[in-house]
Amino acid sequence: MKLLLAAVVAVLAVPASAFAAGPTMTVRDVPLQASRTLAAAAPRFNMVGLHWRGAGAVYFRARTLDGRWSAWVQADADDRIQNGWYLGGLDWTGAATAIRVRTSGHVTRVRAYYVDSPVETMSVRRLQVAGSPLIISRFSWQADESIRRAAPKVSDTVHYAVVHHTAGSNNYTRDESAAIVRGIEIYHVQGNGWNDIGYNFLVDKYGQVFEGRYGGVDKAVIGAHAEGFNTGSVGVAVLGSYGMTKISAAAKASLEQVLAWKLDLAHVDPLSTLTWKSGGNPRFASGVPVFLRAISGHRDSGFTDCPGSALYAELPQIAKDVSALGGPKIYAPAALRSGEGQVHFTAKLSVAQPWTVTILSSAGVQVAQGSGSGAAVDWTWDGSAATPDRYSWTIASATARSATGTLRTGAALALQKATASPAEVAPGETTTFAYTLTAAATVTATLVSPGGQVLSTLLVATKPAGTQTLSFTPPPGLLNGQYTLGLSATAGAKTAIADIPFTVDDILTGLAATGTSLSFTLTRVPFTLAFQVLRNAAVVAVPIVPAAAAGMQTLAWDKLLADGTRAPDGLYTLALTVTDEFGTFTRTIDVPLDTTPPAIHVISYRTMRFRVGEAVTLRLTVGSNVYTRVLKKPATTQFWLKTKPVRYTLTATDAAGNRSVVRYRR
């Protein structure tokens, strides 16, 4: 690998004053044109983070106060990209006055964030919440609460843990640990633009545990530590770099203690696995299900080496150690409602023992209790006759942390939100009736004629509480007119009724769109037609409609707005409204207007990794070989070939036929 495509020395003047209270950060763009360049004067630093543009790699070394240069270190972005910038981690350098930077591959800009975080002896105030290990509070490590950008967000619970390392040097003292944490805070907030420090907890090599993101150590605070996997997880980072070095025994013990406590609070089995949908990152697009362990490494969720190969290899044993810490535990508690008023309680116990499930009313009165013994909780409460209320439940055993939750049950019987979609159909078309039952009941659905006669019974069935649907297709020969679906729900002595009106009308058939034109058939006259074009529910054009006539019809939109200007690209709705003697109804078809070629962002020409901003068909041509890939949404993708080609052509074609081409030649 050819390094030194750009080599830069950034020399920083040491101020006359000693360290000021609290960390400071100075930002400098690093010029990449000169082989040796002096940067503008800045305060001395003991931590540095790099941002860069381009998919290449960036390396740096620092000059200590005595003039010695450190070894070269690669800046690790953990695949974090914001506004086209790769965000490197913050590395501890010790007191330094300059850095050298060199790059490999395609790098167009480098920006250095010099952090000076004074080292001070802490007056430690440790937290201990609900059986937690000792935790150094934000107050004790002197977090700067004034720079927090927003109030913390909290997830429903913690579902799994993500282990990180902060990278950088492992050569720091016990007192320097707090300075590193303070530096990470200012870099994450003022450098990366995040709301607060990204990690929920940080552990140093001496076994000290630091409170991370603000919001409560015993809450499921959403951090910024694993893009696409922040919600529902707890992020714990070990200070230092653990690619080849194992974490210390003290760090390992504290890491295991904080993981054991947080997972026990959420009743998560440390040895369990789960499938979690990505929130979106360069490796896993939004909505992609990802297999994870309850204690995962950052590399499981993104393109990164974090938490280092040595620490990552220890995670299976760490999970076993975490599982063995403390006393018996209750895992995966759940209260599943059957819809018939039954509530099924389940949980796993780490050690077989007696257990109880207790139900309390909102007034604190016990209304039911079940018990058993063994390694599994399995009990059902019959709440069908319970008074409508908000109930609380507790699953408890003699020594484990109890699991709790709430539920509503015993709702009064009612039929709600009864609708038909669409509310007008032709014979052969299907409408869907939807309604909500507040309690389990026997439902009867009848078809009622315009004159009020019951024509047929469409349904008699017992349905659970919740949203229900019933599809209906008017049979051939059913006359045009306004009909009613009559609903009746019965539970014991209680009955609820609802009527859903809908219209059967065969005047319009065969509606279809070709480009921005509508074609359809009108079976008879008289009628009136209206043709509108909408965007974001607002009318933007009203094309001319010819005189009414029966038979095949075509209405075209000329792609002009009401003011005569050309319509910009986007999604439009063609709406056709028909009025006849049976009523007025509207049919719509969404059509895209697209004249813009798809955007292809090249992340790496050499590794053939690309980002596209819309759904496209990709065709990679290498010599006489063509490789095709269909992307149904904006995504990052990569072509894996056994031999890296010296030249290729990539073509992206969107749904409208627009094309973009990328060519590469080494």
Side-chain angles (χ1 to χ4, degrees):
M1 180 173 59
K2 292 184 179 180
L3 299 176
L4 296 171
L5 296 183
V8 180
V9 179
V11 180
L12 309 176
V14 179
S17 60
F19 283 122
T24 58
M25 184 170 66
T26 303
V27 184
R28 293 283 186 268
D29 278 336
V30 178
L32 298 179
Q33 305 305 318
S35 61
R36 187 177 182 88
T37 304
L38 294 181
R44 75 178 181 183
F45 60 94
N46 52 19
M47 307 178 75
V48 65
L50 299 178
H51 291 187
W52 66 93
R53 287 187 179 272
V58 179
Y59 303 78
F60 77 93
R61 65 194 306 186
R63 188 176 69 190
T64 60
L65 296 181
D66 59 7
R68 291 180 300 169
W69 289 96
S70 68
W72 286 101
V73 176
Q74 181 176 357
D76 183 6
D78 287 347
D79 214 27
R80 292 187 294 245
I81 307 173
Q82 285 183 190
N83 301 320
W85 288 88
Y86 284 80
L87 310 185
L90 187 67
D91 292 301
W92 173 258
T93 61
T97 59
I99 65 168
R100 278 199 180 106
V101 171
R102 63 185 185 184
T103 65
S104 171
H106 181 65
V107 176
T108 60
R109 291 182 66 184
V110 175
R111 182 172 292 164
Y113 292 77
Y114 303 103
V115 175
D116 173 29
S117 185
V119 178
E120 301 174 1
T121 301
M122 290 186 300
S123 175
V124 177
R125 175 186 296 178
R126 286 183 167 88
L127 300 172
Q128 191 163 32
V129 181
S132 73
L134 292 177
I135 299 170
I136 298 173
S137 68
R138 290 172 62 94
F139 176 83
S140 289
W141 62 259
Q142 299 175 23
D144 187 350
E145 305 297 1
S146 68
I147 66 173
R148 282 192 285 111
R149 296 175 181 268
K153 295 182 179 180
V154 179
S155 180
D156 61 333
T157 187
V158 169
H159 297 268
Y160 59 99
V162 181
V163 176
H164 304 258
H165 70 174
T166 60
S169 174
N170 296 332
N171 185 24
Y172 56 86
T173 67
R174 179 183 291 269
D175 286 339
E176 287 171 342
S177 296
I180 294 173
V181 175
R182 288 193 294 272
I184 293 173
E185 178 197 25
I186 192 173
Y187 179 63
H188 282 184
V189 176
Q190 297 184 347
N192 293 349
W194 300 348
N195 289 341
D196 192 359
I197 191 169
Y199 308 115
N200 298 104
F201 298 93
L202 302 97
V203 179
D204 72 3
K205 66 181 182 180
Y206 303 99
Q208 298 183 115
V209 180
F210 295 84
E211 177 186 4
R213 178 160 288 214
Y214 179 86
V217 296
D218 58 343
K219 296 181 175 62
V221 175
I222 300 172
H225 55 90
E227 184 180 6
F229 295 83
N230 290 312
T231 300
S233 70
V234 56
V236 186
V238 183
L239 301 187
S241 183
Y242 300 98
M244 294 182 291
T245 304
K246 288 188 174 182
I247 62 174
S248 67
K252 183 170 180 285
S254 292
L255 174 63
E256 290 173 351
Q257 289 168 8
V258 75
L259 289 173
W261 172 66
K262 283 296 290 187
L263 294 181
D264 185 29
L265 276 182
H267 301 286
V268 174
D269 183 351
L271 299 176
S272 65
T273 59
L274 71 159
T275 299
W276 192 260
K277 286 187 178 181
S278 169
N281 67 26
R283 181 178 179 184
F284 297 111
S286 179
V288 171
V290 179
F291 179 80
L292 296 172
R293 294 167 292 174
I295 299 178
S296 289
H298 187 190
R299 65 175 62 179
D300 295 323
S301 67
F303 289 122
T304 175
D305 291 330
C306 181
S309 296
L311 177 51
Y312 186 78
E314 292 189 75
L315 292 184
Q317 184 59 50
I318 287 174
K320 293 178 182 178
D321 295 345
V322 168
S323 179
L325 285 176
K329 299 178 180 65
I330 297 173
Y331 296 138
L336 180 63
R337 300 181 60 163
S338 69
E340 306 290 341
Q342 311 292 307
V343 183
H344 186 201
F345 292 91
T346 59
K348 294 190 303 178
L349 300 176
S350 62
V351 177
Q353 58 185 299
W355 51 263
T356 59
V357 182
T358 304
I359 313 294
L360 301 179
S361 70
S362 59
V365 177
Q366 179 176 311
V367 297
Q369 187 175 74
S371 61
S373 184
V377 174
D378 190 341
W379 179 72
T380 298
W381 173 47
D382 183 1
S384 59
T387 303
D389 195 4
R390 181 182 178 89
Y391 293 88
S392 62
W393 56 264
T394 301
I395 299 176
S397 66
T399 54
R401 186 190 305 274
S402 298
T404 62
T406 61
L407 57 90
R408 285 189 176 274
T409 191
L413 179 63
L415 279 164
Q416 300 174 341
K417 301 178 182 178
T419 60
S421 181
E424 306 85 10
V425 290
E429 295 181 340
T430 299
T431 184
T432 299
F433 302 106
Y435 58 94
T436 298
L437 278 173
T438 58
T442 298
V443 176
T444 301
T446 58
L447 177 63
V448 181
S449 72
Q453 297 175 325
V454 175
L455 301 179
S456 62
T457 299
L458 305 181
L459 173 73
V460 178
T462 300
K463 297 290 183 179
T467 300
Q468 310 295 332
T469 59
L470 172 64
S471 295
F472 173 68
T473 303
L478 190 66
L479 299 177
N480 293 332
Q482 293 184 345
Y483 292 80
T484 301
L485 181 78
L487 289 173
S488 173
T490 302
K494 301 176 182 177
T495 299
I497 60 173
D499 290 333
I500 306 178
F502 68 101
T503 300
V504 176
D505 193 343
D506 65 359
I507 191 170
L508 176 68
T509 61
L511 181 66
T514 303
T516 57
S517 296
L518 290 179
S519 60
F520 52 93
T521 298
L522 293 167
T523 61
R524 64 182 185 277
V525 292
F527 58 81
T528 59
L529 287 181
F531 182 25
Q532 295 179 317
V533 182
L534 298 87
R535 188 177 187 189
N536 298 327
V539 176
V540 296
V542 182
I544 296 174
V545 177
M552 287 286 298
Q553 307 284 325
T554 299
L555 298 178
W557 175 41
D558 58 8
K559 303 178 186 178
L560 298 179
L561 301 179
D563 61 3
T565 60
R566 186 78 176 175
D569 286 359
L571 185 65
Y572 292 83
T573 300
L574 305 184
L576 181 67
T577 301
V578 182
T579 301
D580 65 3
E581 68 270 32
F582 301 108
T584 299
F585 62 92
T586 300
R587 291 288 184 269
T588 62
I589 298 180
D590 290 334
V591 297
L593 188 59
D594 185 2
T595 60
T596 304
I600 306 175
H601 172 63
V602 180
I603 298 176
S604 173
Y605 283 100
R606 185 180 64 82
T607 62
M608 294 180 291
R609 190 169 171 218
F610 310 97
R611 173 81 182 171
V612 293
E614 61 180 292
V616 295
T617 298
L618 293 177
R619 288 181 175 84
L620 179 72
T621 303
V622 182
S624 60
N625 297 318
V626 178
Y627 306 90
T628 301
R629 183 168 298 170
V630 178
L631 302 179
K632 297 182 178 180
K633 61 177 70 174
T636 297
T637 189
Q638 186 169 9
F639 289 88
W640 297 92
L641 301 183
K642 187 174 182 181
T643 303
K644 299 297 183 185
V646 297
R647 65 177 65 184
Y648 60 80
T649 301
L650 179 71
T651 303
T653 306
D654 63 19
N658 302 306
R659 299 173 59 198
S660 292
V661 178
V662 169
R663 292 182 174 86
Y664 170 77
R665 180 175 181 178
R666 188 165 59 194

